[in-house]
Amino acid sequence: MTNAGLRRLVADSGEQRSWVSLRTDLVTALLGVWFGIGLMIDAWAHTNLTELETFFTPWHAAFYSGFAAVSGWIIWQVWRNVRTGRQGLAAVPMGYLAGLVAIPAFAAFGLVDMIWHTVLGIETSIDILFSPSHLGLIVTMMLIITTPLRSAWTAPDVGERPTLGRLLPALVGLAFATTLVSLFLSYGDALQYGPMGIVQAFSDVEQGPSADRLAAAMVISNVVTLAPVLLLVRRWRLPFGSVTLMYAVGVLMPGAQTAFENLPILLTFVVAGLVSDLLIRWLRPSGARRGAYWAFAGLSAFATWSLYLAVASVTAGRLPDVPELWTGAPIVAGLLGLALGALFLPNALVTAEAGAERA
């Protein structure tokens, strides 16, 4: 293609950008699941197979094939519009631009990652979470797999009270993005602790930093799991089951890293998602209902980490020896949740629905 032809192709033809269908977003989300599970398999291999010595592994094949699949699909959505005469930004569906731009960036970081591993070897410890090539991959991957969320954010058919089916692609995309964050903060991931490890850590504040590490991990994991939910609650009246779905996806990454040996703790978070869904039904939090939003943020965090410590204690057969820790930690979590709620929604939003109620 000549330079003149390329310029004609990228020049904006001026049409208003359109939204894709729910089916298209759903396919994007499902291919993003392939992409995300490929990363989970690779994370499991790096954590459990210390003899890795090459970039070319079945785990990388699962990961990069997922990238190829979801990238090809996104590019196809743009090409379909180009074939109808649209050019430039007019050819890119709403919500798909960031993902489209991230595709070549991800490929570039993938090439850098291959060179990095070839020259410096394969990381099998905490250093894997600070590799510049890995950080580039994870940021661009997040932009790609959250495409359905951006697509739904302003889609005219979603509305303030979407159904679970309509919001499913957005939920899946954001949930898998959350797992990426938890992966790169796994040195502070409370979901990787087993029941006995939790009880032992909160049983001794004199010997070693175990209690400090678990307390810090609970704070980090509280923010990582709750913040995406608060983002969605601020935007929509979430349908029942939304948080349960997100937490069920969220436990897959720590599960893969620990070979699911801490299954009771992982299942506890799924139950915590159900409790949060019940709180949403009861409190009806939204951007227009600041008090209910703040209450949900605090109560959801308090309930989640109360369940975490309760299930750990029941499974281990005893309570931690330091009562201040196992009684106070859920309160700290609730206060942090309340602070996040105030940060996400300092003032109630004036929505069309709220205006109609006042009128």
Side-chain angles (χ1 to χ4, degrees):
M1 179 180 293
T2 65
N3 290 337
L6 181 60
R7 284 195 297 270
R8 284 196 300 271
L9 180 63
V10 299
D12 191 359
S13 55
E15 296 94 341
Q16 184 177 0
R17 293 171 62 192
S18 60
W19 283 268
V20 299
S21 66
L22 170 60
R23 174 186 171 278
T24 297
D25 271 344
L26 185 58
V27 173
T28 305
L30 292 176
L31 294 177
V33 170
W34 177 358
F35 196 11
I37 290 178
L39 179 62
M40 292 177 188
I41 295 172
D42 189 49
W44 169 85
H46 279 283
T47 303
N48 297 282
L49 302 179
T50 57
E51 70 277 9
L52 288 177
E53 297 179 353
T54 177
F55 176 85
F56 299 98
T57 65
W59 332 115
H60 276 177
F63 177 44
Y64 282 102
S65 63
F67 163 67
V70 69
S71 298
W73 177 252
I74 290 174
I75 293 171
W76 171 247
Q77 303 315 308
V78 179
W79 180 244
R80 288 173 60 184
N81 287 335
V82 170
R83 293 176 61 185
T84 65
R86 290 173 176 259
Q87 295 177 0
L89 288 179
V92 183
M94 292 292 291
Y96 277 65
L97 179 59
L100 180 67
V101 173
I103 290 172
F106 182 94
F109 281 116
L111 178 61
V112 172
D113 191 47
M114 181 181 69
I115 297 172
W116 184 281
H117 288 319
T118 302
V119 175
L120 298 178
I122 306 295
E123 305 95 342
T124 58
S125 185
I126 192 173
D127 53 349
I128 194 174
L129 305 176
F130 292 90
S131 166
S133 60
H134 288 169
L135 295 174
L137 287 171
I138 213 69
V139 170
T140 50
M141 182 178 180
M142 288 182 66
L143 291 175
I144 293 171
I145 65 175
T146 53
T147 295
L149 173 65
R150 291 188 300 275
S151 177
W153 196 263
T154 57
D157 65 321
V158 175
E160 297 295 326
R161 298 172 179 265
T163 64
L164 185 61
R166 180 61 186 89
L167 209 56
L168 184 61
L171 294 173
V172 170
L174 182 58
F176 269 92
T178 304
T179 68
L180 303 186
V181 177
S182 71
L183 170 62
F184 274 74
L185 294 176
S186 57
Y187 44 83
D189 188 356
L191 277 69
Q192 293 195 30
Y193 281 74
M196 186 57 70
I198 295 168
V199 171
Q200 289 176 346
F202 273 4
S203 292
D204 192 353
V205 295
E206 301 296 336
Q207 301 294 325
S210 297
D212 299 24
R213 288 177 178 173
L214 177 57
M218 290 175 66
V219 169
I220 293 171
S221 297
N222 189 21
V223 173
V224 171
T225 56
L226 183 59
V229 175
L230 293 180
L231 174 69
L232 295 181
V233 172
R234 188 179 188 272
R235 174 64 183 87
W236 291 296
R237 293 282 184 93
L238 286 185
F240 189 82
S242 298
V243 187
T244 305
L245 172 65
M246 291 187 65
Y247 281 13
V249 173
V251 303
L252 295 178
M253 187 65 79
Q257 292 176 278
T258 59
F260 290 94
E261 293 179 354
N262 59 335
L263 191 59
I265 297 302
L266 301 178
L267 292 178
T268 297
F269 266 79
V270 180
V271 175
L274 177 61
V275 171
S276 293
D277 278 320
L278 291 171
L279 285 172
I280 290 174
R281 174 165 289 189
W282 173 42
L283 296 170
R284 297 183 295 115
S286 69
R289 291 168 50 84
R290 184 179 64 174
Y293 184 90
W294 288 9
F296 167 75
L299 290 174
S300 175
F302 176 79
T304 296
W305 295 99
S306 295
L307 285 169
Y308 176 85
L309 290 169
V311 170
S313 300
V314 170
T315 306
R318 67 182 181 92
L319 285 168
D321 293 340
V322 183
E324 291 85 354
L325 292 177
W326 61 265
T327 58
I331 297 175
V332 171
L335 292 173
L336 180 58
L338 180 60
L340 283 175
L343 179 64
F344 273 64
L345 189 67
N347 295 296
L349 303 177
V350 179
T351 64
E353 183 177 337
E357 290 177 355
R358 292 173 183 174

